[in-house]
Amino acid sequence: MISTSFQSLDDVLKEFDLTMGLEVHAQVDTKTKVWCFCPISVGQAYENHYVCEICSGHPGTLPVLNEEVLNKAIRLGLALEGKIAPKINFDRKNYFYPDLPKGYQITQFKNPIVFDAKMEWDHTDSKKIIRIERIQIEEDTGKSTHHQDYSLLNYNRCGTPLLEIITAPDFHHPDDAVVYLKKLHAILKHLHICRGNLQDGNFRCDVNVSLSPKGATKLGTRCEVKNLNSFKNVEKSIIYESIRQANLLKSRGKVLQETRLFNMQEGKTYLLRTKSDADDYRYFPEPDLPSIFIASSKVKDILSQLPELPDQIKNRLQSDYGLNHYDASLISQSFDIVHYFEECVRNSSDPKNYAKKIANWILTELFRFLNEYNKEINDSPVRPKELVELISILESGKISHKQAKEVFAEMFDLKKSPSEIIASKGFEQTSDEGELKSILEKLILNHPKELEGIKSGNARMVGFFIGQVMKQTGGKANAQLATELLKKLIDQQ
Ligand SMILES: [Zn+2]
């Protein structure tokens, strides 16, 4: 029995250092498989329909590398500031499993296409830097489905190209793992390397978790949790695994090296197999694929076609639109948010002046509603054009800030235009100078004591007059304009 002396991650972190390395398998978005011309099956394809002699491992067949996979691997390597190997090899990883008809997987062991890459982001006062040790090209396996007394095999997925992205053990908190995965996911999608559909298994993550006594230099024994397909599950499985290992270390003094699976429903990890080391797979150079020399002109070519990356966008948002560092970081965290923001700016009449206001509305009201309704920005019922229309109306002084927020809430709920909602709510502010002036003149005449108050420096009395104006206009007066008019009238006396 596992003792339950540790209940939470905070408990664990008081006594242990948590260390993690992440391995992501991203399915490369190509038309055909990595070694043959079988199409990649998407959605509900017939079982074993997209299979040929090569991807099902018939004797005498030979694999040929799909160049698009190589190009996309280089593209990712460059985006992550990695080094591109001048010469690459493929290796065989030997193991038996029914979903692997060849009896081995072709992967990269000795000379992967990318090495020494990195991912960094701002974290409070410092920079978080995660070293990405290598990115390798490999093939996916088939799929087994297990039933009560039989199992079914579908080889459609055999030979689907994958990029495996392997970090150094640089993570010490689940929050950092989630930030890294979200950033990597956004880059893969933005660069059209991977479709990134988590539910379809396009982007799967393995986490190696280990604990060591606080301050120890030697890392503890690690357990690998495999095939996590959501950011939330990554976080939950790390927390569960940390607590499980801490309790094992406390009660038995050691953790066994294992490969484990995360059960979503129960929020627990379960033993899949005791871990095999690299030696057990008897890696050897793939004899059917030659070494490939990567021309520097090819790398330069791919580099020249690389689009703007998140950090570059963040700098541009600051220099072009005058956003502060914090707002620019939040907007550049996802390309969808950047597109939404820039679409708003394009729709505004005075981009320089509006950019900051647009950013504020996106980061406060829009984000609040998206969160509440569990929607992504691309599905926002309030489109950029309408948000800018609302901001323009607010800036013109027709409605107050408080009213603008109410209008926004209805825009989100009812998908109506801001002017429609303002008209139906009777929100228009009175900016009629003549009307406001005559109200104020009467108020000044009838309230000499309060007027004296203002003259002798009692600023609170300004509030009294504006309050009265609001009362008489049913709350529709433009308060800013009324205040200006009041000042003018007093100065004229
Ligand atoms: Zn095939």
Side-chain angles (χ1 to χ4, degrees), residues 33 36 38 51-52 55:
K33 293 185 179 180
C36 62
C38 287
V51 183
C52 71
C55 55

Side-chain angles (χ1 to χ4, degrees), residues 33 35-39 50-56 158-159:
K33 293 185 179 180
W35 318 123
C36 62
F37 294 105
C38 287
Y50 298 122
V51 183
C52 71
E53 296 84 348
I54 295 173
C55 55
S56 56
C158 281

Side-chain angles (χ1 to χ4, degrees), residues 150-219:
Y150 64 98
S151 290
L152 294 174
L153 289 163
N154 180 358
Y155 289 153
N156 279 349
R157 207 179 63 182
C158 281
T160 295
L162 300 177
L163 292 180
E164 185 172 10
I165 303 142
I166 303 170
T167 74
D170 285 350
F171 296 93
H172 301 286
H173 196 282
D175 291 352
D176 292 336
V178 172
V179 173
Y180 165 82
L181 289 172
K182 284 188 172 167
K183 283 179 87 80
L184 180 62
H185 183 255
I187 289 173
L188 283 164
K189 271 182 78 172
H190 179 64
L191 296 179
H192 302 294
I193 293 169
C194 169
R195 291 189 182 196
N197 293 332
L198 295 153
Q199 67 279 13
D200 295 342
N202 283 179
F203 182 92
R204 318 191 287 262
C205 178
D206 304 343
V207 191
N208 283 295
V209 182
S210 77
L211 293 180
S212 48
K214 258 201 157 339
T217 45
K218 195 169 170 278
L219 291 181

